Amino acid sequence: MLDRYLFGSTARISPEAPVPVVHVRDTDDRPGGAANVAVNLASLGVKTGLIGVVGADAAGQALEDILVARGIACNFARAGDRPTITKTRVQSRGQQLIRLDEENAADIPGDTMVKALGDVLATAGAVVLSDYGKGSLADVRGLLDACRDAGVPALVDPKGADFSKYRGATVITPHQAEVEAIVGVCATDDELVSRGRALLDELDLAALLVTRSEKGMLLLEAGVEPVFLSTQAREVYDVTGAGDTVIAALAGSLAGGEEFAAAAAFANVAAGLVVRKIGAATVTPGEISASLHQ
């Protein structure tokens, strides 16, 4: 996705309708969706490639140019029947006035994505599947099977109330509210652990990492004691994109050979830093090192 921001001043109301007139003075294009996960990985110093579908349009080219400039290898299929998913936000005086979305969320033919993934699995240390419900993961089963056959860890940022389609993933990283939408509201930590373990077994996962906003995270592994990670954020300005940072840091750590507990702890520190920034931001190894030595 391409996140496009239009910034400008507002001094009058339109004579055509009761809406403000914004004099656009600046435009800022940023990678969004799975592209933001890729940017987070690259910011951590991880060699990163991105597979996806964009339109045969200027927005798709703009997105690819931004990513390539950040050292990310792009393998994009260009679709003539749909635009690049673009979210345009008009902002004035620090407030968002309107968001305009351009998209066609029809399913992408599964073999397109599976073939593209198969071409790079031999050199991959981990694969992140970011599900935004926009059609790219229509054949998520085929993608997960390809990862499992190649022995490559597959991490999923899930979407929706049907997690059965992610069965066999290495780890999924839902928010607690997403978990509770499936297993029911958990009144206590013990209840969350118990129901989370049942979900872990049902989906045949190696691990389940539940993000819990101000409560931190919960890591569940088969046959291992649960690990509760307290939040690292002393100040929270914006949680936009925090989930992207979590799964990126987790994937980078696992690709580097870390165990789940160490990878989750690293992701927790990264998330604690990114929520102190405005917008969909990233963190660097230097920032994480400085934070750990405070």
Side-chain angles (χ1 to χ4, degrees), residues 225-251:
E225 286 296 308
V227 177
F228 286 93
L229 299 162
S230 60
T231 182
Q232 296 289 311
R234 290 184 290 274
E235 298 174 309
V236 176
Y237 297 114
D238 195 341
V239 298
T240 303
D244 294 340
T245 300
V246 168
I247 200 165
L250 188 70

Side-chain angles (χ1 to χ4, degrees), residues 10-99:
T10 304
R12 63 191 180 95
I13 299 298
S14 170
E16 304 167 352
V19 294
V21 175
V22 179
H23 182 193
V24 177
R25 299 185 182 278
D26 190 25
T27 301
D28 186 15
D29 286 347
R30 306 173 188 175
N36 188 49
V37 178
V39 170
N40 270 271
L41 278 161
S43 295
L44 290 169
V46 179
K47 184 177 179 181
T48 305
L50 180 62
I51 296 169
V53 177
V54 297
D57 52 23
Q61 190 59 55
L63 178 58
E64 183 170 355
D65 290 345
I66 295 169
L67 294 167
V68 170
R70 293 174 180 255
I72 297 167
C74 296
N75 182 353
F76 288 164
R78 296 192 178 274
D81 62 343
R82 67 186 67 209
T84 299
I85 297 175
T86 304
K87 298 180 180 180
T88 302
R89 299 167 175 86
V90 181
Q91 295 193 223
S92 181
R93 298 180 181 179
Q95 291 188 329
Q96 184 179 143
L97 302 182
I98 191 171
R99 193 181 92 181

Side-chain angles (χ1 to χ4, degrees), residues 37-169:
V37 178
V39 170
N40 270 271
L41 278 161
S43 295
L44 290 169
V46 179
K47 184 177 179 181
T48 305
L50 180 62
I51 296 169
V53 177
V54 297
D57 52 23
Q61 190 59 55
L63 178 58
E64 183 170 355
D65 290 345
I66 295 169
L67 294 167
V68 170
R70 293 174 180 255
I72 297 167
C74 296
N75 182 353
F76 288 164
R78 296 192 178 274
D81 62 343
R82 67 186 67 209
T84 299
I85 297 175
T86 304
K87 298 180 180 180
T88 302
R89 299 167 175 86
V90 181
Q91 295 193 223
S92 181
R93 298 180 181 179
Q95 291 188 329
Q96 184 179 143
L97 302 182
I98 191 171
R99 193 181 92 181
L100 310 173
D101 287 9
E102 300 170 73
E103 67 175 57
N104 177 344
D107 287 350
I108 305 296
D111 56 351
T112 298
M113 303 297 287
V114 173
K115 182 182 183 305
L117 178 61
D119 291 341
V120 298
L121 271 176
T123 58
V127 171
V128 177
L129 304 179
S130 293
D131 196 345
Y132 286 87
K134 303 299 185 184
S136 293
L137 299 187
D139 186 15
V140 67
R141 176 79 274 131
L143 295 168
L144 290 173
D145 287 346
C147 291
R148 175 166 281 193
D149 291 345
V152 177
L155 299 85
V156 179
D157 187 354
K159 182 79 170 181
D162 178 17
F163 281 10
S164 64
K165 58 188 174 183
Y166 308 123
R167 183 174 287 109

Side-chain angles (χ1 to χ4, degrees), residues 230-294:
S230 60
T231 182
Q232 296 289 311
R234 290 184 290 274
E235 298 174 309
V236 176
Y237 297 114
D238 195 341
V239 298
T240 303
D244 294 340
T245 300
V246 168
I247 200 165
L250 188 70
S253 297
L254 293 177
E258 295 290 348
E259 300 294 330
F260 282 115
F266 181 75
N268 194 41
V269 172
L273 291 170
V274 82
V275 297
R276 301 181 203 175
K277 303 180 181 184
I278 300 297
T282 62
V283 295
T284 66
E287 290 174 311
I288 292 175
S289 179
S291 175
L292 293 174
H293 290 88
Q294 285 180 351

